[in-house]
Amino acid sequence: MDKDRQIEQLITSGLVAVIRRPAPERVEHIAAALADGGVGALEITADTPEVYRLIADMKAKYGDSLLVGAGTVFKLAQAEQAIAAGADFIFSPNLNEAIVELTLQHGRISIPGVMTPTEVVRGHEAGADLLKVFPGGSLGASYIKELQGPLGHIRMMPTGGVTLANVGAFITAGAVAVGLGSALVEREAVEQGDYGKITEMARHFAVEVRKARMNNSKGAKKL
């Protein structure tokens, strides 16, 4: 699948799940639960044990049906290893133009983290495919809406602090997708092996995204 179609797949789902430091043997179950719940992309953070093997395993299992990327990528070496393992996208909490450039050179989706309007523009001009607005919960949906005024041509996805209660507000404000951590992949559910709860939560998030998009023709135009 080419990158444009992958980006469309990510935006259509609207949900990127963050899997952070679970026991490696649980990742397959978490991924299956998320896929069953309608999540189109999952990020395994670079600080997860055996992260590169897990990325390769998940890509081998799901192919094009589920995007698998690396998150919390701070260093070029991490990005290089993730790409070599087959990562579809590189997700970072900060803006590092060298990582953006490397990701684009390999034809993968680049999603650096930004906060200020200056960083948003810098990331866009560096060629990033989407901008992760972080920390989304602290900045709030109104921040996304206000950025949309002068920067509405740039695709943004808030991450950090996005919950079932505010995800609709972020989409309505103009976000094309959201990144979801513990609000979706609850640590307690993982530790108890209650993967059905993760699937159920993913479905709730998917419903909220669809409801918000029905009232947000601007988000639909960006697909």
Side-chain angles (χ1 to χ4, degrees):
M1 185 188 301
D2 64 39
K3 192 170 83 168
D4 287 342
R5 290 179 61 194
Q6 288 183 322
I7 293 172
E8 181 179 345
Q9 178 178 334
L10 187 155
I11 294 175
T12 298
S13 163
L15 305 173
V16 177
V18 179
I19 301 176
R20 184 180 299 281
R21 295 195 300 269
E25 64 270 19
R26 295 186 183 274
V27 170
E28 181 177 355
H29 300 292
I30 297 169
L34 292 168
D36 288 346
V39 172
L42 62 87
E43 161 201 335
I44 305 174
T45 61
D47 55 356
T48 297
E50 303 181 40
V51 56
Y52 306 115
R53 178 188 67 77
L54 292 168
I55 289 172
D57 287 354
M58 293 305 100
K59 284 310 300 177
K61 179 173 182 178
Y62 291 100
D64 291 336
S65 65
L66 181 68
L67 300 179
V68 179
T72 317
V73 176
F74 289 106
K75 300 178 180 178
L76 272 176
Q78 293 174 318
E80 289 169 345
Q81 292 181 79
I83 289 168
D88 295 307
F89 60 89
I90 299 296
F91 215 70
S92 298
N94 64 317
L95 174 60
N96 181 324
E97 281 94 341
I99 291 178
V100 173
E101 182 180 1
L102 175 77
T103 304
L104 297 177
Q105 285 175 349
H106 287 273
R108 311 304 167 90
I109 302 170
S110 172
I111 315 175
V114 297
M115 186 174 77
T116 67
T118 298
E119 291 175 340
V120 172
V121 172
R122 279 180 50 200
H124 179 66
E125 290 181 345
D129 298 292
L130 296 92
L131 277 301
K132 167 185 172 178
V133 180
F134 178 80
S138 297
L139 297 166
S142 61
Y143 186 71
I144 298 294
K145 183 177 181 179
E146 289 160 4
L147 287 176
Q148 290 294 300
L151 304 175
H153 58 293
I154 299 176
R155 294 181 289 210
M156 303 177 197
M157 55 174 297
T159 302
V162 179
T163 67
L164 201 56
N166 64 23
V167 63
F170 278 115
I171 296 297
T172 299
V176 299
V178 296
L180 298 166
S182 59
L184 172 57
V185 185
E186 294 184 9
R187 182 174 298 277
E188 183 177 357
V190 172
E191 291 176 348
Q192 294 178 353
D194 187 0
Y195 302 111
K197 185 174 184 180
I198 295 173
T199 297
E200 180 182 10
M201 187 59 70
R203 288 174 177 159
H204 286 314
F205 272 105
V207 167
E208 292 301 314
V209 169
R210 285 197 296 272
K211 284 166 55 180
R213 284 178 170 169
M214 288 178 66
N215 298 318
N216 186 4
S217 58
K218 185 176 182 180
K221 288 176 182 176
K222 289 184 175 181
L223 295 180

